[in-house]
Amino acid sequence: IQDRDVNECLFKIARSNSNVIPSVLRRQMKSNSEVEHFQKTFGKVDDSNESLIMFLVDKVSRTYSSFMQDQADCGNQPQILYEGSSFMHELWRTESDVSYGNLSMELHMRALEAGSRTAREMIPRALNVVISSPECGLTFLQAGQSVPSWMFLPWRDQLISALHNEAISKYFIPLTGRLVENYDHAMAYVIKSASDNMDLSDTTLNVFLNLMAKLKFSPVHEKLLQKMELLVSPSVAFGDLKDRCLNAKKIAPKTWKQKASTLCQEFKEKYLRNSDGHAFKVFAKDFSSKVDQIISCFSFSAMEDIKKEVDLKFSRIHLNRVKDYSPFLAEFQSSNFTDLVEIPGQYKGFDRPDSDRHVTLSCFDPGLHIFSSLRKPFEIRMLGSDGKKYRFILKAGEDLRQDQRIE
């Protein structure tokens, strides 16, 4: 490791000054023993800056590789492994050499195993290597298998984003699956939101559906998730239906009507048949028959006209209570159920989560606030088992976002 420090230092000097060549370094030696050691180490290196740099990179790379293979157990092992990852990452970034990327990835995963907090904070850097150089994906997949999954929890959004890229998703599916199995409460909302994305390809949609199947919820948690999907303005929900049908036509111009018909039927089942809130009862009364007409003819101009009618209708009425959208949520009391449900947003930071200490949901505040922006997001408040209120922003078709804590 001491040789590593010297060689890295020489590498930085040689890289910053093209005039630094072996013969120049040799002239800096002051004693015969120094000259002898230098000659033994650098004697076969061509007297050029490029050859010197290549030699030093090879020496440092071999040192880090040996350090990993020797299973070295020293007090600063996590730091050394991470420093090695950083050194090789910089080489990968500047030289675009996949071998440097692979070694950087392996060192980073080993640093995580060894407990490096800095390595945990820099996980996005490792993910970016795979995104930029898919050839490094197999190293990430194999070396990451022994890394505790909780270390990736702060970066679950980045992992979900990577699953949308069919060229690299296979390298992230196993890790995301482990997160879903081990920390379903942390992954539930982000996975559900991703699976509802209307722009997913069939391949990517199957990935998310398989992940959804791994989520193991209690009956009360499952029902809470279903009812929270009803916390959306009817005009936004219908607008999303129109956009989904348009997207189906874009993806499959010849067979889109069958897909659009299915989307309309799902819309009716979700919002018109199973919703017991006043908002969608109003919508069903005035627009259910028009939705049926759309299914029979599929006129996008007619959908646009209905959308305008819905917008006008709900701009004139004020529905700002949870029970207007879901009486179940409004009446929810945790004391009526055996299973507890965690308040979302508690899987933060870089330490291992302790779910036994997490706050659970007691009930919902009866009121809600609807923002006037395009998506008309809802602000809801959950009362936790600690007596505090937790505020969240819900946007239809998007992840549940914690806005801020209210004491």
Side-chain angles (χ1 to χ4, degrees), residues 288-323:
S288 182
S289 60
K290 295 183 179 181
V291 173
D292 289 333
Q293 292 174 9
I294 290 172
I295 297 175
S296 63
C297 66
F298 272 110
S299 166
F300 285 107
S301 60
M303 292 187 81
E304 184 60 35
D305 290 341
I306 295 174
K307 174 68 166 58
K308 292 177 181 178
E309 290 183 49
V310 177
D311 287 342
L312 181 61
K313 175 75 176 181
F314 285 92
S315 68
R316 294 173 174 173
I317 57 179
H318 299 285
L319 302 170
N320 54 6
R321 298 171 300 176
V322 172
K323 72 176 184 179

Side-chain angles (χ1 to χ4, degrees), residues 132 149 154 202 210-211 241 258 271 345 367:
S132 302
S149 61
D202 289 342
N210 288 334
L211 290 172
L241 172 63
Q258 181 178 356
Y271 294 113

Side-chain angles (χ1 to χ4, degrees), residues 202-272:
D202 289 342
T203 300
T204 304
L205 177 60
N206 285 332
V207 169
F208 285 113
L209 291 178
N210 288 334
L211 290 172
M212 281 287 293
K214 291 177 180 288
L215 290 169
K216 304 298 181 184
F217 297 127
S218 65
V220 62
H221 194 181
E222 183 71 39
K223 191 166 185 178
L224 280 168
L225 289 173
Q226 292 174 353
K227 295 302 183 181
M228 286 181 70
E229 291 181 10
L230 301 177
L231 297 179
V232 56
S233 167
S235 61
V236 171
F238 186 78
D240 285 347
L241 172 63
K242 178 176 71 70
D243 291 342
R244 286 174 180 270
C245 291
L246 282 169
N247 192 61
K249 185 176 183 180
K250 177 182 177 181
I251 293 175
K254 295 182 179 180
T255 61
W256 69 274
K257 287 189 176 181
Q258 181 178 356
K259 175 65 174 177
S261 177
T262 300
L263 291 171
C264 288
Q265 294 291 353
E266 290 174 350
F267 177 88
K268 288 188 64 177
E269 187 70 21
K270 180 176 181 178
Y271 294 113
L272 305 186

